[in-house]
Amino acid sequence: MAKVKIPINTGSNKAIDEVGLGQLGAELRDAYVDDLGSVVKRYGLAHFTNTHFQVAGVNVPVDGLFWWDKVGVLVAVGGSKVYTVDDSGAMALRISGLSSVQQGQRVSFAAMDNGGTATLFMANGSKIFYMTEGFAGGEITDADAPQNVSKIATMDDYLLAIDDDEDQVFAWSNPGSPLVWDASDFASAELQDDQLVNIGVAHSRIYLAGKRTIEVWKNDGVSPFVREFQGFVERGVIAPDSFVLGNGVWFWLDNYRQVVALTSNGLEVLSTSLNKQIQDYQSVSDAIGNFVVIAGRPYYLLTFPTEGETLVYDINAKLWYEWGTWNGTDYDEWIGARQIVLAEAWNKVIVGTADGLLVEARLDAYTDFDSTKVDVTGVTLSGNDPVVVSYSISSGYSNRIYAGDSVRFEGVNGTTELNGNTYTVTDATSSQMTLGGTDSSQFSAWTSGGTATGGGMIRTLVRTGHLDHGSNSVRKRVRSLTLRLKRSNVANDTLINASIDVRWRDNGSSSWQAAKTVPLTSISDTDYRAQLWQLGIYYSRQYEFVISSSQPLILVYAEEDVEALDA
């Protein structure tokens, strides 16, 4: 049988029990598969702004992000306030105290001109509100306009809105005058008695998304809006905020709990490999969808806040992944999955986190930065290596520090050498962190104060199916397991304490062998190898590989040297 490659690049497959997967992978977390079939750590989140969205001193989620291209600013909504953000991350408060701006509800945006003035309209459950290009704020006060609106769009100089008080109704403003409405300018979904939950515009058509159906309408120049001939999709939208346009394609979670795409060729079910998992979720109506392109790779992200899960569809590879925030024992919903926007003029992907911070998604960020903040309560210097920092979790945060996290220090008195620097945590408890590989021979004694921000270890996990190499009745002896890894870039420094964790279970067992931490051996400037020898005998085996290092590592392949004993 000799050397056999282990399949590592088939994404997450949860449609059947793992025992029956064979060559299909069971789970791929916090990673994506590149064009060569290697497993690459997903992009991380880097520091961008200094200010959290807060209400009464408590961090609250970012409710909306929009790149306003005509004005060249990023618009961010959270805590019932509207800000603009420049390319340095500086935030300017523009709207505050307006009752129309709700807290905790996703914001819908529509940009258009109002009498020659560029205006951004917004809605998230109350009256439609707006901001002009001069950053003056207001709300639509016309009594004929819908009074409670969650979703808006614009087409052909009309502002369109779903009336939350009327299940089937969408309304529109006067052409070119989005502040002026007429009580008679509305229409209803026609084919079925269906509640409208979202509205979108693409290909010069209006897409009215209901719970059970989607209708396609057009501007006929007279009515002005009528339903397109045969403009009807017999799939509804179970999660209103999952309905997203990307690359000219609509993506959403339908009323059968399947992720679907509406392309020029018709409706396509995307979630076949994950349908069972989604069916098992307790609640899906709050699912949030986002379309994003990172380094030329398009993704549809679907996060389930109630379930604490984020599913990611790789549109190029046609694979599913699971991305999350590691809490030390398990994965939570990824903090970067709720609000994502490309700031085109800056060529930056900006993310609004669940804890109210704006960060930048970057391929050269290897942690999810600023997921926690702690107060330094002491620093123990060994005279050389390592440095041990005692801490308590800062007010407004809940996450502790974990081994593998990156942390950045500010405001430390005495041991000022820590300030402004970022370190990788090599060991941690709920009250102490160890900065291994840190030469403290020239450090001064700590006297008081200081904070550390960071955390957010990206824990890449690859779990295979139960492999039997073509026969479940033949015993196999594993002479060796070889893992080849490489760096995603060439740097002057070397990898610090780089390793990969490996564990397995045999013959359908539910119990795993104890994980082995395997150090990486350098082959060249960018290539590394990890090897294990004499790994026992099995009929079928499932492997799990974990990379926790906050360094740019790619898993290129895994290979067994296997001997068939019963052939």
Side-chain angles (χ1 to χ4, degrees):
M1 191 170 288
K3 296 181 179 180
V4 182
K5 287 288 196 312
I6 296 172
I8 60 172
N9 54 10
T10 60
S12 289
N13 296 275
K14 304 290 183 72
I16 60 176
D17 189 81
E18 292 182 3
V19 174
L21 284 174
Q23 294 294 106
L24 288 177
E27 200 166 312
L28 184 54
R29 285 191 176 268
D30 280 350
Y32 66 92
V33 176
D34 70 12
D35 293 338
L36 298 177
S38 300
V39 174
V40 184
K41 183 193 295 278
R42 67 156 167 82
Y43 55 83
L45 303 177
H47 182 80
F48 185 62
T49 61
N50 296 315
T51 306
H52 281 83
F53 289 88
Q54 292 189 330
V55 174
V58 178
N59 295 342
V60 295
V62 178
D63 292 326
L65 281 180
F66 183 82
W67 172 249
W68 197 359
D69 190 56
K70 193 166 186 177
V71 181
V73 297
L74 178 69
V75 178
V77 184
S80 299
K81 298 177 181 179
V82 180
Y83 297 80
T84 58
V85 188
D86 67 20
D87 60 354
S88 71
M91 298 175 62
L93 178 61
R94 302 300 186 182
I95 299 176
S96 178
L98 196 63
S99 61
S100 303
V101 189
Q102 304 296 293
Q103 179 193 328
Q105 296 192 52
R106 190 174 175 89
V107 179
S108 180
F109 297 91
M112 63 182 295
D113 277 358
N114 175 31
T117 300
T119 305
L120 179 63
F121 291 89
M122 296 163 272
N124 69 338
S126 186
K127 291 182 179 179
I128 301 171
F129 55 100
Y130 63 86
M131 182 169 63
T132 69
E133 61 185 284
F135 307 127
E139 62 184 19
I140 294 180
T141 58
D142 192 323
D144 288 335
Q147 299 301 296
N148 293 291
V149 176
S150 297
K151 305 299 178 187
I152 58 176
T154 182
M155 189 176 86
D156 297 340
D157 285 334
Y158 291 90
L159 180 60
L160 314 173
I162 292 179
D163 190 337
D164 290 350
D165 296 325
E166 302 287 343
D167 282 354
Q168 294 178 258
V169 170
F170 79 102
W172 53 87
S173 70
N174 286 2
S177 301
L179 302 184
V180 181
W181 296 65
D182 191 302
S184 62
D185 288 340
F186 71 91
S188 300
E190 294 180 341
L191 287 182
Q192 289 194 14
D193 182 12
D194 196 8
Q195 179 182 349
L196 297 181
V197 296
N198 210 331
I199 185 171
V201 172
H203 318 299
S204 299
R205 296 294 184 270
I206 302 170
Y207 292 79
L208 299 175
K211 287 188 172 182
R212 290 179 295 166
T213 61
I214 293 176
E215 294 188 12
V216 184
W217 287 53
K218 66 179 181 180
N219 184 349
D220 68 356
V222 179
S223 303
F225 300 111
V226 296
R227 187 172 62 84
E228 179 77 82
F229 176 67
Q230 296 183 339
F232 183 69
V233 180
E234 295 192 65
R235 292 291 180 101
V237 180
I238 196 171
D241 290 328
S242 71
F243 190 67
V244 172
L245 182 69
N247 283 359
V249 174
W250 290 105
F251 300 89
W252 72 93
L253 184 67
D254 75 6
N255 51 317
Y256 298 106
R257 294 193 173 197
Q258 295 180 319
V259 181
V260 295
L262 184 61
T263 72
S264 59
N265 296 321
L267 194 72
E268 180 182 356
V269 176
L270 305 178
S271 58
T272 302
S273 63
L274 291 182
N275 279 344
K276 182 178 183 298
Q277 177 172 330
I278 299 173
Q279 294 295 329
D280 289 342
Y281 286 162
Q282 179 179 355
S283 177
V284 299
S285 61
D286 60 347
I288 300 169
N290 278 287
F291 174 84
V292 64
V293 179
I294 299 287
R297 299 188 69 89
Y299 303 95
Y300 174 64
L301 282 71
L302 188 62
T303 196
F304 297 84
T306 299
E307 303 299 326
E309 293 277 356
T310 301
L311 308 180
V312 180
Y313 183 66
D314 185 329
I315 296 170
N316 285 355
K318 299 187 183 302
L319 295 174
W320 281 97
Y321 318 128
E322 297 167 86
W323 291 358
T325 297
W326 180 247
N327 64 20
T329 57
D330 202 356
Y331 294 89
D332 293 327
E333 167 201 340
W334 184 44
I335 64 170
R338 294 197 181 190
Q339 302 285 345
I340 306 176
V341 67
L342 172 62
E344 297 172 9
W346 310 339
N347 194 29
K348 293 180 178 180
V349 175
I350 306 301
V351 172
T353 70
D355 65 347
L357 193 67
L358 298 184
V359 294
E360 182 183 356
R362 300 172 59 102
L363 283 175
D364 59 354
Y366 310 116
T367 62
D368 286 339
F369 198 70
D370 283 356
S371 66
T372 193
K373 182 178 182 180
V374 299
D375 298 319
V376 176
T377 59
V379 178
T380 302
L381 303 177
S382 63
N384 193 352
D385 177 28
V387 174
V388 178
V389 178
S390 300
Y391 71 88
S392 61
I393 299 173
S394 300
S395 176
Y397 293 83
S398 58
N399 294 332
R400 50 159 283 194
I401 300 292
Y402 295 97
D405 286 353
S406 288
V407 292
R408 179 180 175 86
F409 290 89
E410 302 288 348
V412 177
N413 297 313
T415 317
T416 57
E417 295 82 2
L418 293 174
N419 290 332
N421 294 318
T422 300
Y423 299 87
T424 298
V425 177
T426 54
D427 193 18
T429 68
S430 59
S431 61
Q432 284 189 331
M433 66 179 104
T434 300
L435 312 180
T438 303
D439 182 2
S440 63
S441 60
Q442 302 300 314
F443 283 17
S444 304
W446 179 81
T447 57
S448 65
T451 60
T453 55
M457 172 176 61
I458 300 177
R459 185 178 185 267
T460 298
L461 180 147
V462 181
R463 182 180 293 177
T464 70
H466 286 253
L467 307 169
D468 61 15
H469 303 303
S471 176
N472 198 42
S473 62
V474 174
R475 294 181 302 154
K476 299 97 179 168
R477 176 187 288 124
V478 183
R479 299 190 185 100
S480 67
L481 173 68
T482 301
L483 304 169
R484 184 192 165 203
L485 297 96
K486 66 179 182 179
R487 304 181 68 163
S488 59
N489 59 30
V490 180
N492 294 326
D493 56 345
T494 58
L495 296 181
I496 301 174
N497 300 323
S499 62
I500 185 169
D501 293 333
V502 182
R503 66 174 184 168
W504 61 87
R505 54 187 176 186
D506 294 339
N507 309 323
S509 173
S510 60
S511 300
W512 293 91
Q513 298 289 327
K516 297 181 181 294
T517 299
V518 188
L520 302 187
T521 301
S522 175
I523 302 172
S524 68
D525 287 341
T526 58
D527 285 273
Y528 296 83
R529 177 182 293 139
Q531 286 188 298
L532 289 169
W533 306 90
Q534 303 302 327
L535 301 187
I537 298 171
Y538 66 80
Y539 286 100
S540 66
R541 172 169 290 182
Q542 181 179 35
Y543 282 104
E544 186 179 89
F545 309 117
V546 174
I547 303 172
S548 300
S549 171
S550 57
Q551 299 173 85
L553 289 172
I554 296 172
L555 181 57
V556 179
Y557 67 72
E559 184 178 73
E560 278 186 318
D561 187 352
V562 183
E563 175 188 3
L565 300 181
D566 302 323

